[in-house]
Amino acid sequence: MNWLKTHRNDVLLIAVLLILGGALALFLYITRQAGGYVSVRVDGELLMELPLREDTQIVLGEEEHTNTLVIENGTARVVEASCPDQICVNQGAVRYAGESIVCLPHKLVVTVEGGQANDVDAATR
Amino acid sequence: MKASKVAQYGLITALALVLSYLESLLPPLGVPGVKLGLPNLAVVFALYRLSWKDAWVTSLVRVALVALLFGNGASLAYSAAGAALSLIVMGLLWKTGKFSSVGVSVAGGVAHNAGQILVAMALLETSRLAWYLPVLWISGTVAGVLVGVVSGVLVKRVPEKK
């Protein structure tokens, strides 16, 4: 265990960082709450709000910049995206308040919100 | 600038660039932003064997080249913010002289990921990326340990010139 002795500061630093990260994760996990609806933002602008309890499928964006958002069984996921990296598709489904799916190339952020959608019309737009 | 310095910059920047490319070939690790940080091998090596300034040159030239070759404006902003924050943190820890390449690279990995999240929050005008923080925080720590151990071996094994 010579390495531990000569690298005491490194080990301390790693331990502190892991504990901080773990504490942050634990805090978020404990304070999580089921989502009521998802908000869809493009370039920071609220586009629509979709309730999670209604299954639906919607194509966001236009021409070459599209993402297909599916809401199913109280979860939201992007099933198809026209961007090369497919990060938002690979991310899978989100369901808890505060979780989000981000598509950087299209500046799209889909966020799960707590409570209920306050604009019913927005969902049918 | 002396010719030997130019050659040295060329060599280490090329190494960092190749490591970037190599990393882009690896399969995605599930969560966007979770990665090994292989190019940081070259940067940590530059920091310990050369100087803070040389680490900056290596890292920034790499970021610019990667953006030119493979990326776009947005990816440039992310990697530049990550690289800059990581270099500042690594440089400060290195200057204290209390940490080996492992500790420095761990702090650099975490700082790099934190920097990217900050830019993502600013660009997307959202503070709702909270979940990424603990995930990238811990993945940055783990990746930092691996990179730190390897670059520690490199610094020890690669013979010093001059």
Side-chain angles (χ1 to χ4, degrees), chain A:
Chain A
M1 286 287 110
N2 241 339
W3 192 89
L4 269 185
K5 261 181 203 152
T6 49
H7 291 74
R8 199 171 54 96
N9 291 323
D10 301 277
V11 174
L12 274 176
L13 180 70
I14 293 165
V16 167
L17 286 175
L18 284 180
I19 289 168
L20 277 178
L24 190 59
L26 192 68
F27 172 76
L28 288 171
Y29 183 79
I30 290 171
T31 57
R32 74 181 179 169
Q33 45 175 245
Y37 64 100
V38 293
S39 64
V40 177
R41 286 187 174 77
V42 174
D43 212 356
E45 215 164 294
L46 184 65
L47 202 67
M48 60 182 81
E49 293 177 338
L50 302 165
L52 275 171
R53 64 189 135 72
E54 283 169 37
D55 290 2
T56 180
Q57 175 160 357
I58 187 165
V59 178
L60 301 161
E62 53 215 14
E63 288 166 36
E64 289 105 74
H65 303 289
T66 59
N67 299 75
T68 309
L69 178 71
V70 166
I71 294 179
E72 207 174 40
N73 303 326
T75 69
R77 64 200 154 95
V78 173
V79 292
E80 183 275 323
S82 60
C83 58
D85 51 13
Q86 300 291 310
I87 283 173
C88 52
V89 177
N90 293 329
Q91 200 188 330
V94 292
R95 65 167 73 213
Y96 294 107
E99 283 187 306
S100 52
I101 302 175
V102 180
C103 174
L104 290 175
H106 301 163
K107 294 196 167 178
L108 169 77
V109 184
V110 176
T111 309
V112 181
E113 315 274 357
Q116 299 300 319
N118 42 28
D119 184 0
V120 178
D121 286 338
T124 53
R125 197 185 295 165

Side-chain angles (χ1 to χ4, degrees), chain B residues 29 50 54 68 86 95 118 131:
Chain B
L29 296 169
L50 309 170
D54 291 339
L68 274 175
S86 146
K95 274 206 164 164
L118 290 178
W131 258 112

Side-chain angles (χ1 to χ4, degrees), chain B:
Chain B
M1 202 188 286
K2 281 204 313 207
S4 66
K5 197 78 193 165
V6 175
Q8 187 183 61
Y9 277 142
L11 202 63
I12 197 148
T13 313
L15 184 64
L17 191 62
V18 167
L19 288 169
S20 299
Y21 179 63
L22 193 68
E23 188 166 76
S24 74
L25 296 178
L26 297 175
L29 296 169
V31 181
V34 174
K35 53 191 171 195
L36 274 173
L38 289 178
N40 206 27
L41 270 175
V43 178
V44 174
F45 180 79
L47 188 61
Y48 273 83
R49 180 49 62 77
L50 309 170
S51 69
W52 196 359
K53 191 188 133 210
D54 291 339
W56 272 100
V57 173
T58 307
S59 185
L60 294 186
V61 172
R62 176 192 77 83
V63 165
L65 286 175
V66 166
L68 274 175
L69 290 171
F70 317 116
N72 51 44
S75 66
L76 175 65
Y78 290 106
S79 34
L85 199 60
S86 146
L87 270 165
I88 291 168
V89 170
M90 290 202 296
L92 290 176
L93 284 193
W94 169 74
K95 274 206 164 164
T96 66
K98 291 197 165 88
F99 296 94
S100 78
S101 61
V102 178
V104 164
S105 140
V106 163
V110 171
H112 177 272
N113 289 351
Q116 294 206 319
I117 292 178
L118 290 178
V119 171
M121 283 178 166
L123 280 184
L124 299 163
E125 293 168 30
T126 174
S127 56
R128 296 162 191 282
L129 297 169
W131 258 112
Y132 282 125
L133 198 57
V135 173
L136 289 191
W137 186 285
I138 289 172
S139 82
T141 310
V142 175
V145 172
L146 299 175
V147 166
V149 169
V150 176
S151 41
V153 173
L154 275 178
V155 172
K156 209 184 279 175
R157 295 283 169 86
V158 176
E160 206 151 357
K161 242 194 74 193
K162 278 170 268 181

